[in-house]
Amino acid sequence: MNLYAILIVESEVSLHIKTFNALSESFSSIKVVKSIAEAEDSLQETNFDLVLINLDNNDSDAITITKDIRAIQRIEQPYVVIYTKKNDDFLHELLYSAGADAVINFFDKKNILVPYLKNLLNRKSTKHSKRNSNFEINEEEFVVYYNNEGFALPKKEFYILKLLFNNSHKYFTKSELASLIWADEAVAEQRTVDVHIYNIRKKIAKNIIQTKKNSGYKFNEKIALV
């Protein structure tokens, strides 16, 4: 069992019980609160590694909750993950702008949710830009810097590259990318994912994203080294 603490913000009792049960077998500490006020109190009392917010069933909207969490002083900021059944690109962009680390739509699928959260937590990184001497992601401007050159990317391409870069130890299948970026697994059956990967390679570097048969796509870690 992973020694991580997760805070769930969920107003609807039946749903938060379902989510709690899905996670309790894999994570050592899980707490459920029903409001942002309870969430703020909990975050100031306990160092939570991740906050999971239900966009669809909360008294306060997830954008406000996320902003309020990011505004809390003197705490180690957790990952903030929003889960929703809404497939709304503009809404997802607002959530990312508010400070969310991820917006997902598979909270009812334990076999996908648990490994995804484990990968996030195991990275032990923050939401801020990752930097090294050769590669940088600017999350405020949706710009990627490589070899001292800036590349402004459309948001979907940016989110794909950010996801792959932040999880550069693993491959993502088309279905996983479709769920995480578009909140719609059906996108995996189209050419949409392939086209976005092609565009990223064309704009930045052909080898920036690796492809492995039956495994999917992965950020090429060597490209970020001098």
Side-chain angles (χ1 to χ4, degrees), residues 128-211:
H128 300 292
S129 300
K130 290 194 169 186
R131 299 170 183 265
N132 59 36
S133 55
N134 203 42
F135 191 86
E136 176 187 339
I137 288 181
N138 186 316
E139 298 187 31
E140 294 183 357
E141 300 177 0
F142 293 92
V143 174
V144 172
Y145 294 93
Y146 174 59
N147 282 343
N148 297 317
E149 184 177 358
F151 302 88
L153 299 177
K155 291 185 178 180
K156 285 291 188 291
E157 293 176 18
F158 181 88
Y159 290 142
I160 289 173
L161 189 55
K162 174 189 170 186
L163 175 67
L164 296 181
F165 180 56
N166 285 350
N167 300 274
S168 57
H169 63 293
K170 64 163 291 184
Y171 284 90
F172 286 83
T173 66
K174 285 186 183 180
S175 294
E176 288 174 328
L177 290 175
S179 292
L180 293 168
I181 306 300
W182 282 269
D184 183 2
E185 290 186 4
V187 171
E189 304 301 321
Q190 307 166 11
R191 293 282 299 167
T192 306
V193 174
D194 295 327
V195 169
H196 280 68
I197 296 292
Y198 170 82
N199 289 338
I200 293 170
R201 288 168 168 161
K202 183 177 180 180
K203 293 172 184 175
I204 302 176
K206 289 183 179 180
N207 63 336
I208 194 168
I209 296 175
Q210 297 173 312
T211 305

Side-chain angles (χ1 to χ4, degrees), residues 207-224:
N207 63 336
I208 194 168
I209 296 175
Q210 297 173 312
T211 305
K212 186 176 181 180
K213 188 175 181 180
N214 299 324
S215 295
Y217 298 105
K218 178 182 179 296
F219 181 83
N220 183 0
E221 296 173 282
K222 293 182 180 179
I223 204 169

Side-chain angles (χ1 to χ4, degrees), residues 16-155:
H16 81 233
I17 290 175
K18 184 177 183 180
T19 310
F20 180 91
N21 290 338
L23 299 176
S24 60
E25 296 177 11
S26 299
F27 297 98
S28 61
S29 177
I30 301 174
K31 182 176 181 179
V32 181
V33 296
K34 296 182 180 181
S35 68
I36 181 57
E38 291 181 64
E40 289 181 2
D41 290 341
S42 297
L43 286 166
Q44 291 172 341
E45 294 171 359
T46 306
N47 181 26
F48 285 94
D49 299 288
L50 184 144
V51 179
L52 195 59
I53 303 171
N54 188 340
L55 173 67
D56 306 327
N57 291 283
N58 263 304
D59 295 331
S60 300
D61 69 273
I63 295 173
T64 300
I65 295 174
T66 302
K67 286 183 177 179
D68 287 348
I69 289 173
R70 293 306 183 206
I72 299 175
Q73 302 296 316
R74 296 183 298 278
I75 69 167
E76 184 177 340
Q77 282 288 328
Y79 279 105
V80 176
V81 177
I82 314 296
Y83 58 96
T84 177
K85 291 183 178 179
K86 297 176 181 177
N87 186 13
D88 184 333
D89 287 351
F90 180 68
L91 177 59
H92 291 188
E93 289 171 7
L94 290 177
L95 288 164
Y96 281 115
S97 297
D101 293 288
V103 181
I104 60 178
N105 77 329
F106 46 69
F107 61 95
D108 57 341
K109 300 177 182 178
K110 175 185 171 184
N111 61 323
I112 300 178
L113 175 62
V114 171
Y116 176 74
L117 295 183
K118 284 181 179 178
N119 280 330
L120 270 183
L121 293 168
N122 287 336
R123 293 295 294 171
K124 294 181 180 179
S125 58
T126 68
K127 83 177 191 69
H128 300 292
S129 300
K130 290 194 169 186
R131 299 170 183 265
N132 59 36
S133 55
N134 203 42
F135 191 86
E136 176 187 339
I137 288 181
N138 186 316
E139 298 187 31
E140 294 183 357
E141 300 177 0
F142 293 92
V143 174
V144 172
Y145 294 93
Y146 174 59
N147 282 343
N148 297 317
E149 184 177 358
F151 302 88
L153 299 177
K155 291 185 178 180

